[in-house]
Amino acid sequence: VKRAVRKLIEGSTKIQRATHNMYAYRFTETLPNGKTILKHDNDDDGEDAAGSRLAQLLEMRKEDGVLILVSRWYGGTHLGSKRFAHITNVARDLLVQCHDNATIK
């Protein structure tokens, strides 16, 4: 997962310049004995609690096999708690779009 995040960030100079690149992932792994385990985590990259909000979104939507990264650039205006709504809405819109385009099953 960390390698995928690094590749996403390294692949775009715009994303590299972001103030925060927060992400969450959620996927299941099937063990050789047939048991499945859920693997999930998040990172807020200094944007306190943003990663956990993304993780909560993935859990609420019961997403599986998903890594989502949201970048934020500080533009001088303090958004306060509204920033979490923006971050979550962008992530939700992307997930819906990917499902609609059958990118995520």
Side-chain angles (χ1 to χ4, degrees), residues 8-87:
L8 285 169
I9 294 170
E10 290 173 355
S12 169
T13 56
K14 184 176 181 180
I15 293 173
Q16 290 171 18
R17 291 189 308 269
T19 310
H20 304 285
N21 289 302
M22 57 227 89
Y23 68 88
Y25 66 87
R26 188 173 194 268
F27 63 91
T28 55
E29 179 180 355
T30 304
L31 301 177
N33 65 5
K35 182 179 176 182
T36 59
I37 57 172
L38 176 65
K39 294 189 174 189
H40 59 96
D41 201 1
N42 65 81
D43 187 310
D44 58 30
D45 191 32
E47 183 70 90
D48 289 338
S52 61
R53 302 277 177 116
L54 292 172
Q56 183 181 20
L57 174 65
L58 296 181
E59 182 180 354
M60 284 179 8
R61 292 179 49 87
K62 297 181 178 23
E63 296 288 350
D64 187 28
V66 173
L67 162 66
I68 191 154
L69 180 134
V70 176
S71 299
R72 186 171 94 77
W73 294 262
Y74 179 69
T77 302
H78 290 282
L79 299 176
S81 60
K82 288 182 183 180
R83 69 188 186 279
F84 296 121
H86 293 297
I87 291 165

